């Protein structure tokens, strides 16, 4: 079997065209180098080098073998570098699940930060509902999740990435649009379009219900929808009002107006989650980067 040492020795002799100079370059004495080349020729049963008093000449078979030696050396070095990058979480594929609410601001921001530091990582993004994200994290179908509610689970690590106020989305033909300041009490007689209630944790639905209860009324919920585009479409159609995260107002519809509340509004919160004890360096790099940037 040919060794990498023999390949390196052969390349050195061919580049220097002199055994003495090649030995000096390799930081070894000349006799062991000559023996290694002779051993290589015996293994191959080929004459790779012609030796005479004037120096060294490469045979035709030696020239062909030299090209392959360069390729072998490149491939080995490249493989080592790739393995190191994978071990350091700098190369590979990371599967990311995200809820609709994360897609308007925090997801693009965190993806941009990560790819700036780890440009060779491939990200596979999937928009999913929060419950599905949690399930797929546990089943190892995805590695990282952006969700819109806090969960308490011994098998999942989570950090809060972003908070923003809920604002009122209202049809421009609604009489309340003329008011300079909107109170939660002003919409007690309106029809509400809400995100569905989350399972097992406090989500936006619960926060809105509590906000209304503090104003001494129960909201009349006529429709629920997961997708913010659907909710705003229903508001645009005049079916009711909605309380949505402020950055969701980046979706502009002709008949929808956004207004802040006089009162201290509930907050929408985005969390980053991963499986506990996930040994994948990619996952840990992404999670830790989110943690560090969140601490700044």
């Amino acid at each position: 079997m040919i060794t990498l040492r023999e390949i390196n020795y052969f390349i050195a002799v061919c580049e220097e065209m002199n055994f003495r100079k090649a030995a000096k370059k390799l930081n070894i004495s000349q006799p062991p180098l000559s023996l290694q080349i002779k051993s290589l020729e015996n293994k191959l049963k080929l004459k790779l080098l012609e030796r005479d008093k004037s120096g060294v000449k490469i045979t035709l078979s030696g020239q062909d073998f030299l090209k392959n030696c360069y390729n072998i050396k490149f491939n080995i070095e490249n493989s080592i570098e790739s393995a190191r990058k994978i071990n350091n979480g700098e190369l590979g594929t990371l599967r990311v699940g995200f809820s609709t609410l994360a897609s308007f601001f925090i997801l693009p921001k965190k993806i941009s930060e990560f790819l700036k530091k780890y440009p060779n990582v491939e990200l596979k993004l999937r928009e999913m509902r929060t419950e599905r994200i949690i399930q797929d994290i546990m089943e190892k179908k995805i590695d990282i999740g952006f969700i819109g509610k806090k969960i308490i689970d011994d098998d999942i690590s989570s950090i809060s990435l972003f908070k923003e106020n809920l604002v009122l989305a209202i049809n421009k033909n609604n009489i309340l649009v003329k008011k300079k300041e909107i109170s939660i009490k002003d919409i007690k007689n309106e029809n509400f379009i809400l995100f569905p209630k989350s399972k097992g944790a406090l989500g936006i639905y619960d926060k809105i219900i509590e906000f209304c209860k503090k104003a001494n009324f129960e909201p009349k919920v006529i429709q629920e929808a997961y997708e913010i585009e659907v909710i705003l479409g229903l508001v645009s159609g005049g079916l009711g009002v909605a309380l949505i995260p402020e950055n969701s107002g980046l979706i502009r519809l002709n008949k929808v107006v956004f207004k802040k509340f006089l009162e201290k509004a509930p907050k929408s919160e985005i969390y980053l989650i991963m499986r506990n004890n996930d040994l994948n360096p990619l996952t840990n790099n992404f999670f830790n980067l989110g943690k560090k940037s969140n601490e700044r």
Side-chain angles (χ1 to χ4, degrees), residues 235-272:
V235 173
S236 178
L239 274 73
V241 300
L243 276 69
I244 65 169
E246 193 168 359
N247 273 290
S248 302
L250 295 172
I251 299 178
R252 293 291 177 181
L253 297 180
N254 291 332
K255 294 183 180 180
V256 179
V257 176
F258 301 96
K259 285 186 170 290
K260 295 182 180 181
F261 288 101
L262 278 171
E263 297 87 353
K264 184 178 180 180
K267 291 186 180 295
S268 168
E269 196 162 4
I270 301 297
Y271 292 85
L272 184 67

Side-chain angles (χ1 to χ4, degrees), residues 142-161:
I142 60 174
D143 308 299
I144 284 285
F146 288 79
I147 62 173
K149 69 176 185 179
K150 184 176 183 178
I151 62 169
I152 300 174
D153 191 309
D154 292 338
D155 295 320
I156 292 180
S157 295
S158 70
I159 53 171
S160 173
L161 286 181

Side-chain angles (χ1 to χ4, degrees), residues 206-224:
D206 306 280
K207 293 179 180 180
I208 293 173
I209 298 297
E210 184 63 27
F211 190 35
C212 294
K213 284 184 176 180
K214 286 182 179 179
N216 298 315
F217 75 94
E218 288 271 357
K220 182 183 177 183
V221 182
I222 63 158
Q223 184 65 53
E224 296 179 4

Side-chain angles (χ1 to χ4, degrees), residues 93-96 126 128 132-144 155-156 274-280 283:
T93 300
L94 188 69
R95 303 162 300 174
V96 181
R126 291 179 59 193
M128 310 160 72
R132 180 62 184 275
I133 292 173
I134 296 169
Q135 179 182 339
D136 281 9
I137 285 278
M138 296 304 299
E139 294 178 357
K140 300 183 180 181
K141 293 179 180 178
I142 60 174
D143 308 299
I144 284 285
D155 295 320
I156 292 180
M274 64 171 280
R275 287 183 305 279
N276 277 337
N277 303 318
D278 188 334
L279 300 179
N280 185 346
T283 305

Side-chain angles (χ1 to χ4, degrees), residues 15-33:
E15 287 179 344
E16 297 297 328
M17 297 301 290
N18 183 284
F19 274 85
R20 181 179 56 80
K21 291 180 180 179
K24 185 177 181 180
K25 181 179 180 179
L26 294 167
N27 198 28
I28 62 173
S29 60
Q30 184 176 332
L33 176 59

Side-chain angles (χ1 to χ4, degrees), residues 4 15 48 109 214 230 272:
L4 182 59
E15 287 179 344
L48 301 175
K109 182 174 183 289
K214 286 182 179 179
V230 174
L272 184 67

Side-chain angles (χ1 to χ4, degrees), residues 14 53 90 121 126 182 200 223 252 293:
C14 292
K53 294 181 180 180
E90 299 171 4
V121 173
R126 291 179 59 193
I182 290 284
Q223 184 65 53
R252 293 291 177 181
S293 61

